[in-house]
Amino acid sequence: MIKRFVSKSFFLALILIIIFCCLEVVFRSYNPQAIFENYTTSKFGVATAFRSEIQRDILFHDFSHRIETDAKGLRNFKNISYSKESDVFRILCIGGSIFAASGVNNDETFAYYLNRLANEKLSGKKIEVINAGKNLWELSEYFTYFKNEGYRYSPDLVVVYFHRGELSTLELSEFEADKIEFRRLTDNQVEIEVRCFEFAHHLNKFEVTFLNLIHSIPFYEFAFLESHVVRFMESYLRNHLVLDVAESSKRNLKKSYDGWALKDDDSINWKTDYWELKEKTRQHIPAVLYSIGVERFYSLMQEYDTKLLFLLAPSREETLKMEKGFKEFKPMEIGRHENMIWLDLKKDLMEIQDLSYIPLNFPKAIHFTPAGHLAAATLTFNNIIEKGFISISNPTASVINFRDSEWIKNLYNVDDRINPKLSQLGYDLLIKGILNKNQNNFDQAEKFLKLASKKEAVSVEAAWQLGRLYFVRRDYSNSVDYVQKALKQGLFESDAVFSLLAKAYSNLKRFDFAEKYFEKAIEVAPNNFRNYVNYAQMLFFSKRFKESLVQYKKANLIVPNQIDILLGLGGASFLTGKSEEALLAFERILKIQPNNVQALSSIERIQSRLK
C-alpha cells in the first residue's frame, strides 16, 4: 500500500515537474517576464507590506540605500518583542514612505533618531521606538495595521503623519459606512449623513494566501530570479490582490459618491457620529472624509488607551519657501481631543532649512534626507516633552535647542553618506540659490542658480528658480524666458508655473498670454482658490468687471469668507451694478473684521448711491 502511494506520488511529482519545465520553455520563448521589485507582500490586512527578513540595496532618485526588515516585516533598527516591561514607554511610528523611509538606511530614519534622542536626553527612562512604515501606506493602512498588528506592541503613543498630497490620492473605495445618505434640501444646499464609518481594503483572500505561500518556499528567491513562470504567477497575484467590486454589508463611499448629483456651487452640511459641519463645498469632500477617518482612527486608539500624535509634514516646496501652501479647509481644523495632538512641522523646518543650508528633502520629493529625518525627529521629541506625553521632573532641560550651532553641525554630519551625490548632482548649489533668494541675497542667489543650471540633473529646476528670481526682481522679460526654457526642458506643468507666467505676462501688458496661462493654472489645480483670485484681479484691473466677478465667485466657493476675496467680490459686484450683492459682501467682511476701513467706506458709498 505504501509502495503504491510512494510510486504514484513520485509519478505525479514527475508529471508536475515536466509540465512546469514545458511552461518555462513557453514563457521564456513567447512571454518572458521581467524581474521586478519583490520585497513586498500582503499582510496585516493590507495589500502591500514589507516581506520579513529581507536585505535589499535599492535606488531612490539615484540615491542608494539598504532596506532591512525584521521577522515581523518591519523596517526596524532593532528587534522588539510584543511583550513590554512595565517601566518602558513605547512609541509606535506608523506611516507611508516618509517613515518607511525612501532613500535612507535603517539607522537614518525618523524612528531611529527619535529613539536615539529620547534615550540620550531621558537617561532615567526606558524608551522604545518602533518603525512601522511602508511606502504607499495612508490613513486606511495606518488604521488597519494598528487594528491587526500594531496593538500587540502595547504602545503608549502612536505617531503618524499627514501631508496635503494624501487628499488628492484618497481612495474612496476604502471608506465605508453603515449609513450613507444624500439629501438635497434646496437648489444649492445638500445634506450628507455618514454613520458607523469603517475602513476596508477588499482583499482577495485566495490571492493573498497563495502569494504568501509562494513567499514561504525555502528556495523562493532563487526561483523568483531564475523562473519566468514563478514571476508570471507572482505578478498575476499582485495585480489581483484587491477585488474590483467588494461584497460588503456596509455601503461603499466611492459607489455613493459617484451617484451624488453634486453641483460646484452646492453648500454641503455634513452629519457624522462625531460632529456636524455646515456650509462646506464639493472641493472640501476629501478633507471632510479624511477627518471622519481620523476620528475613527482616534476612537481605535482610545480602545487601547493610546495617545495619538499627528505630524503635519510640509512639502519640499513649502520647506524651501517655494510655495505658501493652500489655505483650504484641512482635516486638523476639526475634531480636537485631549489625547490627540496635531504638530505642524512646517515653520520650524523652514527655520532649520534657513539655518543649515543643507537639503532636508531629496531632490523633487517630499521624502526626508537623513538630516531631514533628524530635524523632524528633534521637533517631535520636543513636542512629546512639552505636551507631557512622558512624565519627567524637568521638561525644560530636556528640550533640544535646534538653533544651537552644535546641533546644526550634527545635522551636517548625518548627511555625510549622501553629500557627495548631492554635490555631484548640483543639488547643493540649487538649495543655496533658493535659500539666498528667500533671504533677498539676489546676487548670490543668481550666482548659485546659474552654476546649478550647468548641472544636467538640476538644470531644469535651476532655470525655473531663475525665472522666479527674476520675477521677484521685477525683471519680467527674463522671468518669462527662463520659465519657458524650463518648460521646454521638461519642467512639470504645475499651476505655480502657469500662474507665475500669467502674472509676468500681465506685468508686461501682454494680457492675451496672461489670460491663457491663468486658465491653464486653473485647469491643472481647480481647487487652488489663489489661481481664481489672481485671474480675477487681472480682469478687474483690465476693467473686465463681469468676468472678474465670475472668478471671485469661484474663489469664494472654495474658501468662503476670506477678506481679499470678499473685497474683490464686493468691488466687482458694485461696478457691475449689483449693489445689493456688493453690500452683502462688505457686510460679511465687517462681521470678520469690524474695523475694516475699505469695507466701511465701500458700504457708505453704496448706501449713498442706493438712497
Side-chain angles (χ1 to χ4, degrees), residues 21-50:
C21 290
C22 291
L23 286 172
E24 188 67 32
V25 171
V26 170
F27 272 98
R28 285 175 182 266
S29 302
Y30 301 104
N31 190 18
Q33 301 292 307
I35 293 175
F36 53 84
E37 295 290 0
N38 68 329
Y39 55 83
T40 64
T41 190
S42 177
K43 58 183 174 183
F44 312 133
V46 298
T48 176
F50 284 125

Side-chain angles (χ1 to χ4, degrees), residues 36-103:
F36 53 84
E37 295 290 0
N38 68 329
Y39 55 83
T40 64
T41 190
S42 177
K43 58 183 174 183
F44 312 133
V46 298
T48 176
F50 284 125
R51 285 173 45 217
S52 301
E53 298 181 321
I54 60 167
Q55 295 184 357
R56 191 70 55 87
D57 292 317
I58 65 174
L59 285 176
F60 173 75
H61 289 273
D62 297 321
F63 291 85
S64 176
H65 67 290
R66 188 170 182 79
I67 290 180
E68 299 178 72
T69 62
D70 60 19
K72 300 182 181 72
L74 298 184
R75 198 181 173 207
N76 229 346
F77 42 88
K78 64 178 181 179
N79 290 321
I80 296 179
S81 64
Y82 291 128
S83 60
K84 185 183 75 169
E85 296 176 17
S86 59
D87 59 344
V88 168
F89 187 90
R90 187 170 280 180
I91 303 171
L92 177 63
C93 300
I94 312 175
S97 53
I98 292 178
F99 281 178
S102 299

Side-chain angles (χ1 to χ4, degrees), residues 36 63 78 111 219 257 270-271 316 490 518 611:
F36 53 84
F63 291 85
K78 64 178 181 179
F219 52 87
Y257 177 79
W270 290 84
K271 287 187 174 182
R316 180 187 74 114
F518 275 131
K611 288 177 182 178

Side-chain angles (χ1 to χ4, degrees), residues 284-301:
H284 297 145
I285 288 176
V288 172
L289 293 178
Y290 194 96
S291 300
I292 298 172
V294 169
E295 292 288 350
R296 180 66 187 94
F297 187 45
Y298 173 74
S299 69
L300 179 64
M301 298 296 101

